[in-house]
Amino acid sequence: GNSVTQMEGPVTLSEEAFLTINCTYTATGYPSLFWYVQYPGEGLQLLLKATKADDKGSNKGFEATYRKETTSFHLEKGSVQVSDSAVYFCALRRGQGGSEKLVFGKGMKLTVNP
Amino acid sequence: DVKVTQSSRYLVKRTGEKVFLECVQDMDHENMFWYRQDPGLGLRLIYFSYDVKMKEKGDIPEGYSVSREKKERFSLILESASTNQTSMYLCASSPPGGYNQPQHFGDGTRLSIL
């Protein structure tokens, strides 16, 4: 079946540090891949997405590249800020003709200290 | 912007009560979803609906039911609340057939069952 495995943390970084959150997936066909972010006390927001191999999603300084050969979609940011403190979820959705459902990883809590 | 509104941010109920959680979306989306979020377990799908009066069980439907009488509204019902249903509940919606379309989330309802 479809599944997502991601770093669970929690992780604490200092401001301006480099961030990588690993995400690997198992899926049939060609899934679409997403990163969601959940700020304290809020619901999930879409951070970025990629729908085919070698696509790079980017938003707010975050990037992730869809790597079919390694079935990965790692999230990176070159210089984190205190405002990036949140929980990050990797997710996949099966490709065209597949289920409408998203499959989520367990989430990783990031704290950024000044 | 898509707006998904959950009727309550915080709710406290007693064991054995029938509990209704309401969700409304304003973008005419066919698909709507209910998740619960627990520490260490991530998001787990309870039920989803792909059309009015249509529903499908997710991964953890036991103890829950849903109602979708109008396209914009999706209700989650706890038939007889128990303490193990204390959790954060998240509603989401998405357009149909768009495998590369993200789900849009509400801010969540934090439910405590005493």
Side-chain angles (χ1 to χ4, degrees):
Chain A
N2 301 326
S3 66
V4 173
T5 304
Q6 65 171 109
M7 290 172 59
E8 294 185 24
V11 169
T12 301
L13 297 175
S14 297
E15 207 165 22
E16 298 184 4
F18 183 83
L19 170 71
T20 299
I21 305 176
N22 289 339
C23 172
T24 57
Y25 67 89
T26 302
T28 54
Y30 301 94
S32 295
L33 301 172
F34 305 86
W35 276 101
Y36 281 84
V37 59
Q38 184 180 33
Y39 298 105
E42 298 183 12
L44 275 68
Q45 302 175 22
L46 178 68
L47 182 58
L48 54 83
K49 69 178 185 181
T51 58
K52 60 183 188 297
D54 300 324
D55 264 3
K56 178 186 282 188
S58 61
N59 186 24
K60 298 183 181 180
F62 290 89
E63 292 183 342
T65 301
Y66 189 141
R67 301 284 188 203
K68 193 170 190 306
E69 64 276 13
T70 54
T71 62
S72 65
F73 192 52
H74 305 322
L75 183 68
E76 296 183 337
K77 185 173 186 181
S79 176
V80 293
Q81 306 301 311
V82 172
S83 57
D84 294 326
S85 297
V87 181
Y88 292 82
F89 292 91
C90 185
L92 73 81
R93 190 172 188 182
R94 279 193 59 195
Q96 202 160 11
S99 168
E100 302 285 358
K101 296 187 289 185
L102 280 174
V103 176
F104 286 90
K106 292 187 177 180
M108 196 211 78
K109 183 175 182 180
L110 170 68
T111 301
V112 180
N113 292 324
Chain B
D1 271 359
V2 177
K3 184 71 173 175
V4 178
T5 303
Q6 295 183 231
S7 55
S8 305
R9 290 298 301 273
Y10 301 94
L11 206 53
V12 180
K13 296 291 183 181
R14 297 207 172 276
T15 301
E17 280 192 69
K18 191 169 186 175
V19 180
F20 292 84
L21 302 183
E22 305 287 348
C23 175
V24 177
Q25 51 94 3
D26 66 356
M27 282 301 291
D28 206 35
H29 285 168
E30 270 74 6
N31 301 318
M32 296 189 75
F33 306 82
W34 274 107
Y35 296 89
R36 63 177 284 177
Q37 182 181 11
D38 300 288
L41 297 176
L43 271 73
R44 294 179 292 169
L45 181 65
I46 304 171
Y47 267 97
F48 69 103
S49 169
Y50 49 89
D51 203 351
V52 175
K53 297 191 185 296
M54 306 299 285
K55 62 184 179 184
E56 281 197 28
K57 294 180 180 179
D59 301 316
I60 52 163
E62 296 77 19
Y64 303 94
S65 63
V66 290
S67 173
R68 185 129 181 242
E69 296 296 320
K70 293 185 177 181
K71 192 175 186 181
E72 67 270 19
R73 185 179 297 270
F74 192 35
S75 303
L76 179 69
I77 304 157
L78 285 65
E79 298 291 346
S80 177
S82 64
T83 55
N84 63 10
Q85 293 178 309
T86 291
S87 186
M88 169 73 91
Y89 289 87
L90 293 166
C91 176
S93 72
S94 71
Y99 65 93
N100 60 348
Q101 296 299 317
Q103 291 180 10
H104 300 267
F105 284 81
D107 284 339
T109 296
R110 188 164 292 282
L111 175 64
S112 296
I113 306 297
L114 305 179

